[in-house]
Amino acid sequence: LRGRQGFLREKAAAAAAAAAQPKPLATMAAPTLDSAANLCLLLSDDDTTIQEKTLLKIARVVDHYWAEVSEYVSVIEELSEDEAFPNRTLAAHVASKCFFHLEEYDDALRLALASDTYFNVNERSEYVGSMISRCIDRYIAERSAAAAATGADGTEEAKASAPPAVDVRMEAIMEQMFQRCYADGAFTQAIGIAMESRRLDKLEEAISRSAAAPPLLKYALDVSATLVHSKEFREQVLERLLALFRANTAAPDYLRICQVLQRLHRPEDLAAVLLTLVHGSDRDALVAYQVALDVLDSGDDGFVKEVADALNLEEPEAKAESGEAKAEGAEGDAKAEGEGDAMETEAEAPAAPVDPVLAGEPGASALT
């Protein structure tokens, strides 16, 4: 602990020396105090009320006088951990900002999560932006690790070795972040976060809350191939997107529906869509031809054959060979039938008279 305090003090002293350098008037903020050093001295008071009021004043100027406040960051951090202190979240908030300016980002995020309502995701500042970015990265990493540990089978052994659940405070910040995306109209960002963090519920929520759902569905389908690395979860994403595509019965996007069916390797379902389109309007028939060409261009010959089998179609060469075989069979049947008719004709014709002499009949004479 002493080593850490010494390191932080050295860093704060260096920052204070840099801050003491004269700056152009245009770049200088207008602080309400000339210095925070006298305020920080009050943090050593035994009266918790004085300490709390002091922290409230420091919180207003910490971004400007962070170098001075950072010399007392250990004291402030201890207050955030003291269960007897009445405003631990405020202390965590001030300590988090100090660590942020000291570029100790892991500690800054840890204390930001403990600052509760003092951490406002809607605040447009470098501090909040940096903390949100790191919170998202950690949230994605922890949820991915939990999913990888449990595995697809979800056995008890896998569950026992799984990492602990995601911090509920981080979940709360992520929920606020999703709401901020919706309010800002940043639906593509929400979709990306939802996919990477394996939140199917948020993926569907982001698409359904947008006024431009069809373009977002196309975007989600495109990025699912790059953002989602797990085959199992990618199939779950595709299943959810397929349901959303089919829910738009007013103007179904058959091209995208068939793309999803091909990625899910469902030749029978794709063949059923093609048959529906072929028996529909002229425009539907054109869409069917476009889908068929897209499937052919994909280069998946095995899938193409399965679709053809589902449609009861044969390859052109096989069809020609089958036609030749049928023609040969018909010709053979006709020839056999002709021979049979000739034999029947011969059998029905009257027999030629037999010479009685040659037949050896008694009493017959060659002179008669």
mmCIF file with all atom_site columns, all heavy atoms in Angstrom, residues 14-38:
data_model
loop_
_atom_site.group_PDB
_atom_site.id
_atom_site.type_symbol
_atom_site.label_atom_id
_atom_site.label_alt_id
_atom_site.label_comp_id
_atom_site.label_asym_id
_atom_site.label_entity_id
_atom_site.label_seq_id
_atom_site.pdbx_PDB_ins_code
_atom_site.Cartn_x
_atom_site.Cartn_y
_atom_site.Cartn_z
_atom_site.occupancy
_atom_site.B_iso_or_equiv
_atom_site.pdbx_formal_charge
_atom_site.auth_seq_id
_atom_site.auth_comp_id
_atom_site.auth_asym_id
_atom_site.auth_atom_id
_atom_site.pdbx_PDB_model_num
ATOM 1   N N   . ALA A 1 14 ? 4.216   15.270 -10.359 1.00 0.00 ? 14 ALA A N   1
ATOM 2   C CA  . ALA A 1 14 ? 4.631   15.577 -11.735 1.00 0.00 ? 14 ALA A CA  1
ATOM 3   C C   . ALA A 1 14 ? 3.515   16.281 -12.486 1.00 0.00 ? 14 ALA A C   1
ATOM 4   O O   . ALA A 1 14 ? 3.754   17.233 -13.248 1.00 0.00 ? 14 ALA A O   1
ATOM 5   C CB  . ALA A 1 14 ? 5.034   14.298 -12.457 1.00 0.00 ? 14 ALA A CB  1
ATOM 6   N N   . ALA A 1 15 ? 2.292   15.829 -12.278 1.00 0.00 ? 15 ALA A N   1
ATOM 7   C CA  . ALA A 1 15 ? 1.165   16.470 -12.946 1.00 0.00 ? 15 ALA A CA  1
ATOM 8   C C   . ALA A 1 15 ? 0.956   17.887 -12.432 1.00 0.00 ? 15 ALA A C   1
ATOM 9   O O   . ALA A 1 15 ? 0.624   18.798 -13.195 1.00 0.00 ? 15 ALA A O   1
ATOM 10  C CB  . ALA A 1 15 ? -0.104  15.652 -12.732 1.00 0.00 ? 15 ALA A CB  1
ATOM 11  N N   . ALA A 1 16 ? 1.172   18.104 -11.123 1.00 0.00 ? 16 ALA A N   1
ATOM 12  C CA  . ALA A 1 16 ? 1.014   19.440 -10.561 1.00 0.00 ? 16 ALA A CA  1
ATOM 13  C C   . ALA A 1 16 ? 2.063   20.387 -11.122 1.00 0.00 ? 16 ALA A C   1
ATOM 14  O O   . ALA A 1 16 ? 1.780   21.556 -11.409 1.00 0.00 ? 16 ALA A O   1
ATOM 15  C CB  . ALA A 1 16 ? 1.118   19.369 -9.037  1.00 0.00 ? 16 ALA A CB  1
ATOM 16  N N   . ALA A 1 17 ? 3.285   19.886 -11.293 1.00 0.00 ? 17 ALA A N   1
ATOM 17  C CA  . ALA A 1 17 ? 4.333   20.722 -11.863 1.00 0.00 ? 17 ALA A CA  1
ATOM 18  C C   . ALA A 1 17 ? 4.000   21.113 -13.293 1.00 0.00 ? 17 ALA A C   1
ATOM 19  O O   . ALA A 1 17 ? 4.217   22.249 -13.718 1.00 0.00 ? 17 ALA A O   1
ATOM 20  C CB  . ALA A 1 17 ? 5.667   19.984 -11.805 1.00 0.00 ? 17 ALA A CB  1
ATOM 21  N N   . ALA A 1 18 ? 3.440   20.148 -14.041 1.00 0.00 ? 18 ALA A N   1
ATOM 22  C CA  . ALA A 1 18 ? 3.055   20.452 -15.424 1.00 0.00 ? 18 ALA A CA  1
ATOM 23  C C   . ALA A 1 18 ? 1.900   21.442 -15.455 1.00 0.00 ? 18 ALA A C   1
ATOM 24  O O   . ALA A 1 18 ? 1.845   22.326 -16.312 1.00 0.00 ? 18 ALA A O   1
ATOM 25  C CB  . ALA A 1 18 ? 2.676   19.173 -16.147 1.00 0.00 ? 18 ALA A CB  1
ATOM 26  N N   . ALA A 1 19 ? 0.973   21.312 -14.514 1.00 0.00 ? 19 ALA A N   1
ATOM 27  C CA  . ALA A 1 19 ? -0.176  22.217 -14.481 1.00 0.00 ? 19 ALA A CA  1
ATOM 28  C C   . ALA A 1 19 ? 0.212   23.619 -14.066 1.00 0.00 ? 19 ALA A C   1
ATOM 29  O O   . ALA A 1 19 ? -0.476  24.590 -14.385 1.00 0.00 ? 19 ALA A O   1
ATOM 30  C CB  . ALA A 1 19 ? -1.239  21.674 -13.522 1.00 0.00 ? 19 ALA A CB  1
ATOM 31  N N   . ALA A 1 20 ? 1.331   23.744 -13.323 1.00 0.00 ? 20 ALA A N   1
ATOM 32  C CA  . ALA A 1 20 ? 1.774   25.054 -12.858 1.00 0.00 ? 20 ALA A CA  1
ATOM 33  C C   . ALA A 1 20 ? 2.374   25.897 -13.966 1.00 0.00 ? 20 ALA A C   1
ATOM 34  O O   . ALA A 1 20 ? 2.567   27.105 -13.808 1.00 0.00 ? 20 ALA A O   1
ATOM 35  C CB  . ALA A 1 20 ? 2.787   24.883 -11.728 1.00 0.00 ? 20 ALA A CB  1
ATOM 36  N N   . GLN A 1 21 ? 2.702   25.287 -15.101 1.00 0.00 ? 21 GLN A N   1
ATOM 37  C CA  . GLN A 1 21 ? 3.255   26.030 -16.218 1.00 0.00 ? 21 GLN A CA  1
ATOM 38  C C   . GLN A 1 21 ? 2.228   27.024 -16.737 1.00 0.00 ? 21 GLN A C   1
ATOM 39  O O   . GLN A 1 21 ? 1.043   26.725 -16.807 1.00 0.00 ? 21 GLN A O   1
ATOM 40  C CB  . GLN A 1 21 ? 3.679   25.072 -17.337 1.00 0.00 ? 21 GLN A CB  1
ATOM 41  C CG  . GLN A 1 21 ? 4.790   24.113 -16.924 1.00 0.00 ? 21 GLN A CG  1
ATOM 42  C CD  . GLN A 1 21 ? 6.090   24.844 -16.599 1.00 0.00 ? 21 GLN A CD  1
ATOM 43  O OE1 . GLN A 1 21 ? 6.413   25.843 -17.224 1.00 0.00 ? 21 GLN A OE1 1
ATOM 44  N NE2 . GLN A 1 21 ? 6.810   24.329 -15.604 1.00 0.00 ? 21 GLN A NE2 1
ATOM 45  N N   . PRO A 1 22 ? 2.660   28.232 -17.113 1.00 0.00 ? 22 PRO A N   1
ATOM 46  C CA  . PRO A 1 22 ? 1.703   29.225 -17.606 1.00 0.00 ? 22 PRO A CA  1
ATOM 47  C C   . PRO A 1 22 ? 1.035   28.767 -18.886 1.00 0.00 ? 22 PRO A C   1
ATOM 48  O O   . PRO A 1 22 ? 1.658   28.139 -19.735 1.00 0.00 ? 22 PRO A O   1
ATOM 49  C CB  . PRO A 1 22 ? 2.584   30.469 -17.860 1.00 0.00 ? 22 PRO A CB  1
ATOM 50  C CG  . PRO A 1 22 ? 3.979   29.942 -17.992 1.00 0.00 ? 22 PRO A CG  1
ATOM 51  C CD  . PRO A 1 22 ? 4.046   28.732 -17.094 1.00 0.00 ? 22 PRO A CD  1
ATOM 52  N N   . LYS A 1 23 ? -0.251  29.053 -19.016 1.00 0.00 ? 23 LYS A N   1
ATOM 53  C CA  . LYS A 1 23 ? -1.030  28.651 -20.181 1.00 0.00 ? 23 LYS A CA  1
ATOM 54  C C   . LYS A 1 23 ? -1.677  29.882 -20.805 1.00 0.00 ? 23 LYS A C   1
ATOM 55  O O   . LYS A 1 23 ? -1.892  30.897 -20.120 1.00 0.00 ? 23 LYS A O   1
ATOM 56  C CB  . LYS A 1 23 ? -2.143  27.659 -19.775 1.00 0.00 ? 23 LYS A CB  1
ATOM 57  C CG  . LYS A 1 23 ? -1.602  26.368 -19.212 1.00 0.00 ? 23 LYS A CG  1
ATOM 58  C CD  . LYS A 1 23 ? -2.737  25.454 -18.834 1.00 0.00 ? 23 LYS A CD  1
ATOM 59  C CE  . LYS A 1 23 ? -2.221  24.143 -18.255 1.00 0.00 ? 23 LYS A CE  1
ATOM 60  N NZ  . LYS A 1 23 ? -3.318  23.237 -17.861 1.00 0.00 ? 23 LYS A NZ  1
ATOM 61  N N   . PRO A 1 24 ? -1.982  29.825 -22.086 1.00 0.00 ? 24 PRO A N   1
ATOM 62  C CA  . PRO A 1 24 ? -2.702  30.933 -22.714 1.00 0.00 ? 24 PRO A CA  1
ATOM 63  C C   . PRO A 1 24 ? -4.046  31.149 -22.039 1.00 0.00 ? 24 PRO A C   1
ATOM 64  O O   . PRO A 1 24 ? -4.696  30.201 -21.583 1.00 0.00 ? 24 PRO A O   1
ATOM 65  C CB  . PRO A 1 24 ? -2.880  30.466 -24.169 1.00 0.00 ? 24 PRO A CB  1
ATOM 66  C CG  . PRO A 1 24 ? -1.821  29.442 -24.356 1.00 0.00 ? 24 PRO A CG  1
ATOM 67  C CD  . PRO A 1 24 ? -1.610  28.789 -23.048 1.00 0.00 ? 24 PRO A CD  1
ATOM 68  N N   . LEU A 1 25 ? -4.481  32.391 -21.958 1.00 0.00 ? 25 LEU A N   1
ATOM 69  C CA  . LEU A 1 25 ? -5.743  32.691 -21.286 1.00 0.00 ? 25 LEU A CA  1
ATOM 70  C C   . LEU A 1 25 ? -6.925  32.010 -21.935 1.00 0.00 ? 25 LEU A C   1
ATOM 71  O O   . LEU A 1 25 ? -7.896  31.652 -21.284 1.00 0.00 ? 25 LEU A O   1
ATOM 72  C CB  . LEU A 1 25 ? -5.964  34.217 -21.277 1.00 0.00 ? 25 LEU A CB  1
ATOM 73  C CG  . LEU A 1 25 ? -4.967  35.023 -20.426 1.00 0.00 ? 25 LEU A CG  1
ATOM 74  C CD1 . LEU A 1 25 ? -5.265  36.511 -20.586 1.00 0.00 ? 25 LEU A CD1 1
ATOM 75  C CD2 . LEU A 1 25 ? -5.040  34.627 -18.971 1.00 0.00 ? 25 LEU A CD2 1
ATOM 76  N N   . ALA A 1 26 ? -6.838  31.790 -23.231 1.00 0.00 ? 26 ALA A N   1
ATOM 77  C CA  . ALA A 1 26 ? -7.964  31.191 -23.950 1.00 0.00 ? 26 ALA A CA  1
ATOM 78  C C   . ALA A 1 26 ? -8.198  29.754 -23.547 1.00 0.00 ? 26 ALA A C   1
ATOM 79  O O   . ALA A 1 26 ? -9.290  29.233 -23.689 1.00 0.00 ? 26 ALA A O   1
ATOM 80  C CB  . ALA A 1 26 ? -7.732  31.278 -25.457 1.00 0.00 ? 26 ALA A CB  1
ATOM 81  N N   . THR A 1 27 ? -7.148  29.066 -23.063 1.00 0.00 ? 27 THR A N   1
ATOM 82  C CA  . THR A 1 27 ? -7.275  27.643 -22.737 1.00 0.00 ? 27 THR A CA  1
ATOM 83  C C   . THR A 1 27 ? -7.506  27.416 -21.258 1.00 0.00 ? 27 THR A C   1
ATOM 84  O O   . THR A 1 27 ? -7.676  26.287 -20.839 1.00 0.00 ? 27 THR A O   1
ATOM 85  C CB  . THR A 1 27 ? -6.009  26.896 -23.162 1.00 0.00 ? 27 THR A CB  1
ATOM 86  O OG1 . THR A 1 27 ? -4.890  27.411 -22.426 1.00 0.00 ? 27 THR A OG1 1
ATOM 87  C CG2 . THR A 1 27 ? -5.766  27.053 -24.652 1.00 0.00 ? 27 THR A CG2 1
ATOM 88  N N   . MET A 1 28 ? -7.478  28.452 -20.443 1.00 0.00 ? 28 MET A N   1
ATOM 89  C CA  . MET A 1 28 ? -7.623  28.275 -19.003 1.00 0.00 ? 28 MET A CA  1
ATOM 90  C C   . MET A 1 28 ? -9.086  28.311 -18.608 1.00 0.00 ? 28 MET A C   1
ATOM 91  O O   . MET A 1 28 ? -9.856  29.147 -19.090 1.00 0.00 ? 28 MET A O   1
ATOM 92  C CB  . MET A 1 28 ? -6.859  29.367 -18.248 1.00 0.00 ? 28 MET A CB  1
ATOM 93  C CG  . MET A 1 28 ? -5.342  29.262 -18.395 1.00 0.00 ? 28 MET A CG  1
ATOM 94  S SD  . MET A 1 28 ? -4.483  30.513 -17.442 1.00 0.00 ? 28 MET A SD  1
ATOM 95  C CE  . MET A 1 28 ? -4.900  30.027 -15.777 1.00 0.00 ? 28 MET A CE  1
ATOM 96  N N   . ALA A 1 29 ? -9.453  27.353 -17.725 1.00 0.00 ? 29 ALA A N   1
ATOM 97  C CA  . ALA A 1 29 ? -10.821 27.329 -17.232 1.00 0.00 ? 29 ALA A CA  1
ATOM 98  C C   . ALA A 1 29 ? -10.992 28.398 -16.155 1.00 0.00 ? 29 ALA A C   1
ATOM 99  O O   . ALA A 1 29 ? -10.028 28.991 -15.701 1.00 0.00 ? 29 ALA A O   1
ATOM 100 C CB  . ALA A 1 29 ? -11.150 25.942 -16.680 1.00 0.00 ? 29 ALA A CB  1
ATOM 101 N N   . ALA A 1 30 ? -12.185 28.580 -15.748 1.00 0.00 ? 30 ALA A N   1
ATOM 102 C CA  . ALA A 1 30 ? -12.462 29.582 -14.718 1.00 0.00 ? 30 ALA A CA  1
ATOM 103 C C   . ALA A 1 30 ? -12.902 28.866 -13.453 1.00 0.00 ? 30 ALA A C   1
ATOM 104 O O   . ALA A 1 30 ? -14.100 28.691 -13.205 1.00 0.00 ? 30 ALA A O   1
ATOM 105 C CB  . ALA A 1 30 ? -13.538 30.550 -15.193 1.00 0.00 ? 30 ALA A CB  1
ATOM 106 N N   . PRO A 1 31 ? -11.953 28.407 -12.624 1.00 0.00 ? 31 PRO A N   1
ATOM 107 C CA  . PRO A 1 31 ? -12.317 27.668 -11.417 1.00 0.00 ? 31 PRO A CA  1
ATOM 108 C C   . PRO A 1 31 ? -12.932 28.589 -10.371 1.00 0.00 ? 31 PRO A C   1
ATOM 109 O O   . PRO A 1 31 ? -12.696 29.802 -10.360 1.00 0.00 ? 31 PRO A O   1
ATOM 110 C CB  . PRO A 1 31 ? -10.974 27.107 -10.949 1.00 0.00 ? 31 PRO A CB  1
ATOM 111 C CG  . PRO A 1 31 ? -9.963  28.098 -11.450 1.00 0.00 ? 31 PRO A CG  1
ATOM 112 C CD  . PRO A 1 31 ? -10.495 28.594 -12.757 1.00 0.00 ? 31 PRO A CD  1
ATOM 113 N N   . THR A 1 32 ? -13.722 27.988 -9.510  1.00 0.00 ? 32 THR A N   1
ATOM 114 C CA  . THR A 1 32 ? -14.328 28.774 -8.441  1.00 0.00 ? 32 THR A CA  1
ATOM 115 C C   . THR A 1 32 ? -13.356 28.977 -7.287  1.00 0.00 ? 32 THR A C   1
ATOM 116 O O   . THR A 1 32 ? -13.586 29.829 -6.434  1.00 0.00 ? 32 THR A O   1
ATOM 117 C CB  . THR A 1 32 ? -15.587 28.062 -7.934  1.00 0.00 ? 32 THR A CB  1
ATOM 118 O OG1 . THR A 1 32 ? -15.234 26.733 -7.511  1.00 0.00 ? 32 THR A OG1 1
ATOM 119 C CG2 . THR A 1 32 ? -16.646 27.965 -9.038  1.00 0.00 ? 32 THR A CG2 1
ATOM 120 N N   . LEU A 1 33 ? -12.291 28.192 -7.230  1.00 0.00 ? 33 LEU A N   1
ATOM 121 C CA  . LEU A 1 33 ? -11.277 28.302 -6.188  1.00 0.00 ? 33 LEU A CA  1
ATOM 122 C C   . LEU A 1 33 ? -9.919  28.494 -6.835  1.00 0.00 ? 33 LEU A C   1
ATOM 123 O O   . LEU A 1 33 ? -9.692  28.102 -7.981  1.00 0.00 ? 33 LEU A O   1
ATOM 124 C CB  . LEU A 1 33 ? -11.269 27.033 -5.327  1.00 0.00 ? 33 LEU A CB  1
ATOM 125 C CG  . LEU A 1 33 ? -12.560 26.714 -4.546  1.00 0.00 ? 33 LEU A CG  1
ATOM 126 C CD1 . LEU A 1 33 ? -12.432 25.361 -3.886  1.00 0.00 ? 33 LEU A CD1 1
ATOM 127 C CD2 . LEU A 1 33 ? -12.862 27.786 -3.507  1.00 0.00 ? 33 LEU A CD2 1
ATOM 128 N N   . ASP A 1 34 ? -9.020  29.116 -6.074  1.00 0.00 ? 34 ASP A N   1
ATOM 129 C CA  . ASP A 1 34 ? -7.654  29.280 -6.565  1.00 0.00 ? 34 ASP A CA  1
ATOM 130 C C   . ASP A 1 34 ? -6.849  28.010 -6.387  1.00 0.00 ? 34 ASP A C   1
ATOM 131 O O   . ASP A 1 34 ? -5.877  27.775 -7.101  1.00 0.00 ? 34 ASP A O   1
ATOM 132 C CB  . ASP A 1 34 ? -6.958  30.434 -5.836  1.00 0.00 ? 34 ASP A CB  1
ATOM 133 C CG  . ASP A 1 34 ? -7.611  31.772 -6.161  1.00 0.00 ? 34 ASP A CG  1
ATOM 134 O OD1 . ASP A 1 34 ? -8.187  31.879 -7.262  1.00 0.00 ? 34 ASP A OD1 1
ATOM 135 O OD2 . ASP A 1 34 ? -7.544  32.672 -5.305  1.00 0.00 ? 34 ASP A OD2 1
ATOM 136 N N   . SER A 1 35 ? -7.251  27.170 -5.428  1.00 0.00 ? 35 SER A N   1
ATOM 137 C CA  . SER A 1 35 ? -6.532  25.938 -5.153  1.00 0.00 ? 35 SER A CA  1
ATOM 138 C C   . SER A 1 35 ? -7.446  24.992 -4.378  1.00 0.00 ? 35 SER A C   1
ATOM 139 O O   . SER A 1 35 ? -8.363  25.434 -3.670  1.00 0.00 ? 35 SER A O   1
ATOM 140 C CB  . SER A 1 35 ? -5.259  26.226 -4.342  1.00 0.00 ? 35 SER A CB  1
ATOM 141 O OG  . SER A 1 35 ? -4.648  25.018 -3.945  1.00 0.00 ? 35 SER A OG  1
ATOM 142 N N   . ALA A 1 36 ? -7.182  23.699 -4.546  1.00 0.00 ? 36 ALA A N   1
ATOM 143 C CA  . ALA A 1 36 ? -7.961  22.696 -3.810  1.00 0.00 ? 36 ALA A CA  1
ATOM 144 C C   . ALA A 1 36 ? -7.182  22.147 -2.629  1.00 0.00 ? 36 ALA A C   1
ATOM 145 O O   . ALA A 1 36 ? -7.674  21.263 -1.921  1.00 0.00 ? 36 ALA A O   1
ATOM 146 C CB  . ALA A 1 36 ? -8.352  21.556 -4.742  1.00 0.00 ? 36 ALA A CB  1
ATOM 147 N N   . ALA A 1 37 ? -5.974  22.657 -2.391  1.00 0.00 ? 37 ALA A N   1
ATOM 148 C CA  . ALA A 1 37 ? -5.123  22.113 -1.325  1.00 0.00 ? 37 ALA A CA  1
ATOM 149 C C   . ALA A 1 37 ? -5.766  22.299 0.046   1.00 0.00 ? 37 ALA A C   1
ATOM 150 O O   . ALA A 1 37 ? -5.778  21.376 0.879   1.00 0.00 ? 37 ALA A O   1
ATOM 151 C CB  . ALA A 1 37 ? -3.745  22.772 -1.375  1.00 0.00 ? 37 ALA A CB  1
ATOM 152 N N   . ASN A 1 38 ? -6.301  23.492 0.314   1.00 0.00 ? 38 ASN A N   1
ATOM 153 C CA  . ASN A 1 38 ? -6.913  23.741 1.620   1.00 0.00 ? 38 ASN A CA  1
ATOM 154 C C   . ASN A 1 38 ? -8.150  22.883 1.826   1.00 0.00 ? 38 ASN A C   1
ATOM 155 O O   . ASN A 1 38 ? -8.436  22.428 2.942   1.00 0.00 ? 38 ASN A O   1
ATOM 156 C CB  . ASN A 1 38 ? -7.270  25.220 1.754   1.00 0.00 ? 38 ASN A CB  1
ATOM 157 C CG  . ASN A 1 38 ? -6.043  26.107 1.800   1.00 0.00 ? 38 ASN A CG  1
ATOM 158 O OD1 . ASN A 1 38 ? -4.980  25.668 2.247   1.00 0.00 ? 38 ASN A OD1 1
ATOM 159 N ND2 . ASN A 1 38 ? -6.187  27.351 1.356   1.00 0.00 ? 38 ASN A ND2 1
#
